[in-house]
Amino acid sequence: MLAAILVSGNMLAQQVKYTVSGTYTVDGAKVYLKDRLTEKTIDSVAVANGKFAFSGIADKDALMAVNVKNSGWDISFFNDGTPVSINANDSTLKSSQLNERLTKYDLEGEALSKAFKAKVRKMTPEQIKANQDELMAEMAKAQNAQIELANKLFKEERNSLIPLAFAELYFIDNGVEAYDELVKQPTAFAKHPQLKAARDRIAAVLKPEGDEKTAVIGQQFTDLEMSAPNGKMHKVSELVGPGKYVFVDFWASWCGPCRAEMPNVLEAYNKYHAKGFEVIGISFDNKKEAWVKAIGQLKMPWLQISDLKGFDCAAAPIYKIDGIPDNILIDPQGKIIDRALRGKALHNRLQQIFGE
């Protein structure tokens, strides 16, 4: 189906033709062509006789993707003028060297995730519930593998556009502040609009500007009192005081991204605790057994408290928490100085405070 659509407006000046042909075993399945800059659908077709196709005009080097409905998988490619031939059954393609390398990295990054999803699909709801902790650990491992790959590509693929396809993962781990340094560097992707788009999307997720979440920054913290696993009551204020910066971590045993982030928090704790960095975990768990088990599995040495009320947790309305992981950083005077610090963004912030 012909679709002469501009993928990214006027941000990339030169226009080139794209030609995408593909195969898929399910006739009638809906296939979408997507602009990864705007995350909008450019065109869609139904598979007929095991085949589908797209063609049109788009900006040169625009990052595009093909997706089969309900597959949960994007097959990405750059519009570099080379025809693209896709096998949507195994998510591979034949095209330019650049696009074939991108596909190789995509499959590498998603290997653990695909295996995990395939495993879960074969399990009954009862089996999933009975193995919840192990499944969360596997999901966290898969997510960490993707982030490690993104960091590797931003270091090793500086002369290609490939890192752009992994930019959101990079900013999740390194913080949106990393964008400022990236655009100063002499790389092939520094000036591409996809880099800023990825930065802006992650900034919106981690720190929505102007909403109630960031409004707490600059305010005095509100104290919370909850039970530790041993039943003893503790307050956040026990840790706040001269020379101490307190990281209040909102998490839960069932939260995959929370578990994936915990080794990063532990690394920061081990590095800066002696200098005054304190951590307190506030869990959004409902069940004590799962909460306590996760603390042991993740080897978290800091104070943990919870009212075991899930998202009815007392912390949720006070700090406008509608999703986890989330966190706040409190200075020695009890003022909230930052929020939603994850990945290298946490380390960068602590380095500003404590130095190396």
Side-chain angles (χ1 to χ4, degrees), residues 1-3 20 22 26-33 41-48 51-55 66-69:
M1 183 180 294
L2 185 63
V20 181
V26 182
D27 279 355
K30 203 69 174 287
V31 184
Y32 299 91
L33 179 66
T41 297
I42 299 170
D43 202 353
S44 63
V45 296
V47 177
K51 298 180 180 180
F52 62 88
F54 300 99
S55 63
V66 164
N67 172 273
V68 178
K69 187 176 182 180

Side-chain angles (χ1 to χ4, degrees), residues 81-136:
T82 305
V84 177
S85 176
I86 289 174
N87 181 342
N89 298 296
D90 61 9
S91 304
T92 59
L93 64 70
K94 292 183 179 179
S95 182
S96 63
Q97 185 182 49
L98 171 69
N99 284 325
E100 290 182 4
R101 257 197 1 268
L102 172 58
T103 297
K104 178 180 76 72
Y105 287 129
D106 264 338
L107 292 173
E108 177 185 339
E110 285 288 333
L112 288 179
S113 180
K114 278 192 168 184
F116 171 77
K117 291 175 182 177
K119 176 180 178 179
V120 172
R121 279 196 297 268
K122 296 178 181 178
M123 298 173 70
T124 65
E126 292 75 20
Q127 289 173 324
I128 292 174
K129 184 176 181 181
N131 296 278
Q132 177 176 285
D133 291 333
E134 290 75 14
L135 291 174
M136 288 298 103

Side-chain angles (χ1 to χ4, degrees), residues 334-353:
K335 185 171 69 175
I336 300 170
I337 59 172
D338 218 325
R339 182 166 192 163
L341 293 168
R342 295 175 64 183
K344 288 188 173 60
L346 172 60
H347 291 265
N348 292 340
R349 190 68 169 96
L350 295 177
Q351 184 178 347
Q352 291 174 2
I353 295 170

Side-chain angles (χ1 to χ4, degrees), residues 217-331:
I217 297 177
Q219 296 183 4
Q220 290 297 113
F221 84 102
T222 299
D223 206 4
L224 292 164
E225 183 176 24
M226 296 179 188
S227 175
N230 63 6
K232 185 177 179 180
M233 300 300 290
H234 286 277
K235 294 181 178 181
V236 175
S237 56
E238 294 174 23
L239 299 177
V240 179
K244 295 183 178 181
Y245 287 80
V246 182
F247 184 77
V248 185
D249 185 30
F250 306 110
W251 73 290
S253 66
W254 45 260
C255 169
C258 300
R259 297 180 72 121
E261 178 64 12
M262 218 55 77
N264 182 62
V265 179
L266 180 59
E267 180 184 350
Y269 181 84
N270 289 336
K271 183 174 183 178
Y272 294 107
H273 179 58
K275 296 183 178 182
F277 180 55
E278 300 284 355
V279 179
I280 180 169
I282 296 182
S283 171
F284 278 53
D285 274 280
N286 293 100
K287 297 181 179 180
K288 183 175 181 178
E289 182 181 355
W291 172 42
V292 174
K293 185 176 181 180
I295 293 171
Q297 288 176 330
L298 297 170
K299 298 179 173 59
M300 297 179 282
W302 49 81
L303 177 63
Q304 295 283 347
I305 60 176
S306 180
D307 56 15
L308 296 176
K309 294 181 179 179
F311 270 93
D312 290 325
C313 172
I318 291 173
Y319 291 109
K320 315 299 181 188
I321 301 168
D322 53 16
I324 52 176
D326 201 349
N327 56 68
I328 57 172
L329 183 63
I330 303 170
D331 75 3

